[in-house]
DNA sequence: CTATTTGAACTGACTGGTCAGTTTAGTTAG
DNA sequence: CTAACTAAACTGACCAGTCAGTTCAAATAG
C-alpha cells in the first residue's frame, strides 16, 4: 500500500520558505491536471484510460495512483481545480465603483476568456454536469453553487441600481447566463472560431439588458 | 448472412394501403430508441453497453446489431430522431400573424417542453456536441445547423419588425438562445425542479428583449 | 384447405480485446 | 533515510461485435 498524499488540489498555500517539505513542487499533479483536462475534454471521462493520461503527462501509471487515489478522484480534483481558476477570474472583477452593468459585462468577458483558454474544462463540465446518478454529483452541486453565487450577486448589484423586470426570477436568469457562457464559449471554439470575444459577450449581455426594464414592450 | 435493414429512422413513409410490406411496425427500433435515449442520457454514450440497451428494450443484443449496424450508428440515428421531434415542435409555432416576439416566446416554450419531456436527449446532446474529434461530428454539425436555422429565422422576423441592437450579431444570439434552452431546461430538471416553465421562458426571453432597442443604454 | 418453403427478425453464447486498479521491486533526489 | 516516482507484470471484470442457429408469418404449391 503506497503512502499517497491524494489530498486536495495543488494549493501549496502556507509553505513559503521551506522549499523541501511540500514534496518539490506539485509539478506532477499540475502536469496530470493538464494532460487529463485535455484528454477528458476531448473524449469524455469514460473514453480516456488512466494509461493514456499517465503517458500524456510523461509519468507512469503508478504515479497517477500515487497522487490521486483513483481515476474518479483525479476527475473530482480536476473539476475543483478548474472551478478555482474560473472563480478567481470572476472575482477579479472589482464591483466597487462604477456601473454594475459594466461589471457584469466584464465578468462575462472573463468567463469567455476562460472558456477560450480552457475549452477542455468547459467540455468536461457540460458533459458530466447533468448526469443523474453520477459519481461527481455532490462535487458538481457544490461547485455549481459557488459559481452561481458569484453571478447571482452581480445580478443583485444590477438590480440594486437599475429597475428590473420582476417577472424574471433571479435564479433562472443566473442559470441562463451561466449556461450561455459555457455554450457560447464552446460553440465559438467548435463551430464559429471567427466569432469575436465582443460579439459573444454582447449576445450574452443581451439578457441583462432585457432584464432591466424599459417602457413596456410596445404592444404590437 | 442476415440481410439487415440498418437504414434510416422509422419512416414508413409511402406505404399506405398494402399492410404487409413494411415489415410490421418499427416497434423494435422505437423501443431501442427509447431505451437507449434513457440510458445514454443518464450515463453517457461510452458509459452504456449494448447489452444493457438490448435488455432495457426487452430485446437481444443481436437485434440491436440487426437493426443498427453498430453502437455508433444507433446513437447517430438517435440524435436524428430526437432532433426531428424538436424541429417538429419548433416548426409547429406558426409565425404567420401577430407579434414575432410572441412567436419567439412560444418557440422557447416549446423548447422547454421538449427538454422536460426528453431530458435524456438534452443530456446526450450537451454531452457529445462539442467533442472535437467525435464520430458524430458531421451529424452534429448538420443537425445543429438545421436547428439554428429555425431559431435564426425567428430572430429575423423580430428584427424585421422591431428596431434591434446592431451590436449583437444574429449568429451569436442564435447560439446564446439555443444553448440557454438546453442548459436552462436541464438545470430545471436536475437542480431546480421547482422552477416553472414560465420562469424559464422569461429568463431566456430576456435576451430577446435586450436585443430589441430601447433608448440607448443610459451612459452611466 | 394443408404442406412446404422462404426469409426477415431475432437470439444468445462466444471471442478477442481492453481497462481500472494492484502489487512489487527498484530508482532518484532532497 | 524517505518521499516521490518508475516500470512492468498481473487480475478480474467488462464489452463491442460476430455468428450459427431459431422462430414464425406470409408466400407458394399441391
Amino acid at each position: 500500500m503506497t503512502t499517497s498524499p491524494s489530498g486536495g488540489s495543488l494549493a501549496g498555500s502556507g509553505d513559503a520558505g521551506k522549499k523541501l517539505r511540500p514534496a518539490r513542487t506539485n509539478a506532477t499533479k499540475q502536469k496530470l491536471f493538464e494532460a487529463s483536462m485535455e484528454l477528458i475534454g476531448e473524449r469524455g471521462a469514460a473514453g480516456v484510460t488512466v494509461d493514456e493520461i499517465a503517458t500524456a503527462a510523461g509519468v507512469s501509471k503508478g504515479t497517477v495512483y500515487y497522487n490521486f487515489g483513483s481515476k474518479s478522484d483525479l476527475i473530482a480534483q480536476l473539476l475543483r481545480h478548474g472551478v478555482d481558476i474560473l472563480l478567481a477570474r470572476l472575482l477579479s472583477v472589482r464591483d466597487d465603483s462604477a456601473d454594475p452593468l459594466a461589471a457584469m459585462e466584464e465578468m462575462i468577458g472573463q468567463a469567455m476568456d476562460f472558456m477560450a483558454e480552457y475549452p477542455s474544462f468547459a467540455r468536461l463540465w457540460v458533459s458530466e454536469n447533468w448526469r443523474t446518478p453520477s459519481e461527481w454529483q455532490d462535487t458538481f452541486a457544490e461547485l455549481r453553487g459557488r459559481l452561481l453565487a458569484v453571478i447571482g450577486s452581480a445580478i443583485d448589484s444590477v438590480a440594486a441600481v437599475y429597475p428590473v423586470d420582476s417577472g424574471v426570477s433571479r435564479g433562472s436568469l443566473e442559470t441562463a447566463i451561466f449556461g450561455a457562457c459555457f455554450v457560447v464559449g464552446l460553440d465559438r471554439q467548435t463551430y464559429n472560431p471567427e466569432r469575436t470575444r465582443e460579439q459573444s459577450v454582447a449576445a450574452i449581455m443581451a439578457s441583462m439588458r432585457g432584464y432591466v426594464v424599459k417602457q413596456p414592450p410596445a404592444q404590437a
Side-chain angles (χ1 to χ4, degrees), chain A:
Chain A
M1 197 168 296
T2 43
T3 30
S4 79
S6 237
S9 48
L10 58 174
S13 33
D15 51 43
K18 312 297 266 313
K19 140 138 155 286
L20 67 121
R21 193 92 44 56
R24 283 196 90 95
T25 51
N26 277 331
T28 301
K29 261 190 177 172
Q30 184 64 47
K31 273 174 23 171
L32 281 169
F33 276 151
E34 276 159 24
S36 35
M37 190 93 93
E38 190 63 32
L39 290 170
I40 292 175
E42 273 170 13
R43 312 213 302 272
V48 175
T49 72
V50 175
D51 284 293
E52 279 174 315
I53 293 171
T55 302
V59 134
S60 82
K61 188 180 185 177
T63 303
V64 177
Y65 284 91
Y66 178 78
N67 281 278
F68 305 91
S70 66
K71 188 184 182 185
S72 204
D73 275 13
L74 164 61
I75 292 170
Q77 291 193 34
L78 190 59
L79 289 170
R80 286 179 190 285
H81 184 231
V83 168
D84 283 346
I85 296 174
L86 175 53
L87 268 178
R89 298 210 181 181
L90 294 183
L91 293 171
S92 80
V93 178
R94 312 213 311 108
D95 191 8
D96 58 341
S97 61
D99 184 4
L101 259 190
M104 189 79 218
E105 184 155 7
E106 201 189 325
M107 270 182 63
I108 293 173
Q110 288 291 334
M112 292 308 303
D113 290 343
F114 175 82
M115 303 300 161
E117 202 164 341
Y118 301 96
S120 292
F121 175 82
R123 275 194 286 271
L124 169 59
W125 183 273
V126 298
S127 289
E128 308 290 341
N129 190 13
W130 296 283
R131 291 217 199 298
T132 17
S134 138
E135 335 177 34
W136 308 293
Q137 220 170 350
D138 297 342
T139 303
F140 271 114
E142 179 203 330
L143 298 177
R144 192 189 95 103
R146 255 194 270 172
L147 287 166
L148 284 185
V150 176
I151 297 174
S153 90
I155 294 180
D156 282 345
S157 298
V158 171
V161 171
Y162 292 86
V164 296
D165 181 351
S166 58
V168 176
S169 80
R170 204 201 67 162
S172 298
L173 188 61
E174 274 173 21
T175 302
I177 290 179
F178 181 52
C181 285
F182 275 87
V183 170
V184 170
L186 281 172
D187 249 64
R188 185 150 80 100
Q189 235 260 331
T190 312
Y191 297 105
N192 302 95
E194 83 286 0
R195 217 107 95 190
T196 69
R197 185 191 118 118
E198 276 64 38
Q199 284 179 315
S200 304
V201 171
I204 299 172
M205 273 302 287
S207 39
M208 282 309 296
R209 287 198 234 284
Y211 178 53
V212 327
V213 293
K214 49 191 142 183
Q215 61 272 43
Q219 284 300 89

